[in-house]
Amino acid sequence: VDVKFAGLVRKLQVYKVDAVLGMTIQQRFVAQYLMGTATMELEKFQIPEKLDSSSTYRLIYCLLGRLQLGVFFGYYEFALEMAEKLAPLAEFENSHAVRSLGIYFTSLTYAILARKRNKKSNAAKARRRCNQLISLCNTKGENSRHRCMLLEAQLLSLSGKKPSQVQSSFDDAI
């Protein structure tokens, strides 16, 4: 499937082949895992020692898919590990969609871990990532504004505000 899709993308000359293939790998893996048909376990993923541009794009999307799944299934330590592996690769992929998802799920992971561990340092890291996402929305477009609002609601819940204020903030985001 990847080979045929790559050929079509190359023929149409629409997007960078590596970026598009990476996105399909990530989304397909998430869908397969959610349906219970994935052939690779989350934890059995190793970063290759030598990266070229092609493998770097695929790696970014594989890490992003696993980061999302870690959050979805409550594997927050695993999600944090994926976020930390993803962070140094951010310079390779500058698309709004990928950066916003990486920042969002990393911030969400830190916020959830701040609540579970009662650590202010995780809350501060979540706030910094939330501010990065707000800045990204302000400079690159509003596509992820709802994610900013969801993160701000999550951070508001950590701050000890009244439940009605937190619920209103989540309602506005949704």
Side-chain angles (χ1 to χ4, degrees), residues 85-137:
K85 290 178 180 181
L86 186 61
L89 301 172
E91 67 187 68
F92 290 98
E93 176 53 90
N94 200 23
S95 75
H96 179 79
V98 172
R99 287 193 62 218
S100 65
L101 279 174
I103 294 168
Y104 173 73
F105 280 100
T106 300
S107 182
L108 192 56
T109 300
Y110 278 124
I112 291 167
L113 287 174
R115 178 174 287 112
K116 289 176 86 82
R117 296 176 177 170
N118 199 22
K119 284 181 76 174
K120 291 184 180 186
S121 63
N122 283 339
K125 289 176 183 178
R127 169 51 63 197
R128 280 196 299 277
R129 298 309 185 292
C130 183
N131 290 339
Q132 283 179 327
L133 189 56
I134 290 169
S135 176
L136 186 66
C137 286

Side-chain angles (χ1 to χ4, degrees), residues 134-159:
I134 290 169
S135 176
L136 186 66
C137 286
N138 291 340
T139 58
K140 298 267 187 171
E142 296 291 312
N143 290 352
S144 296
R145 186 62 66 188
H146 64 292
R147 289 187 185 109
C148 295
M149 294 172 71
L150 284 168
L151 286 175
E152 288 177 327
Q154 186 73 251
L155 292 170
L156 189 64
S157 73
L158 291 174
S159 68

Side-chain angles (χ1 to χ4, degrees), residues 2 12 17 26 29-30 53 81 89 95 112 120 145-146 149 157 168:
D2 285 342
L12 296 175
V17 173
Q26 174 230 344
F29 179 74
V30 170
S53 64
E81 183 183 332
L89 301 172
S95 75
I112 291 167
K120 291 184 180 186
R145 186 62 66 188
H146 64 292
M149 294 172 71
S157 73
S168 178

Side-chain angles (χ1 to χ4, degrees), residues 54-104:
S54 175
S55 61
T56 302
Y57 279 110
R58 289 190 178 103
L59 175 61
I60 289 168
Y61 289 107
C62 287
L63 290 170
L64 184 56
R66 284 164 175 77
L67 170 58
Q68 291 176 26
L69 289 169
V71 172
F72 293 155
F73 286 98
Y75 303 139
Y76 303 115
E77 297 296 332
F78 175 78
L80 183 59
E81 183 183 332
M82 295 300 105
E84 289 171 350
K85 290 178 180 181
L86 186 61
L89 301 172
E91 67 187 68
F92 290 98
E93 176 53 90
N94 200 23
S95 75
H96 179 79
V98 172
R99 287 193 62 218
S100 65
L101 279 174
I103 294 168
Y104 173 73

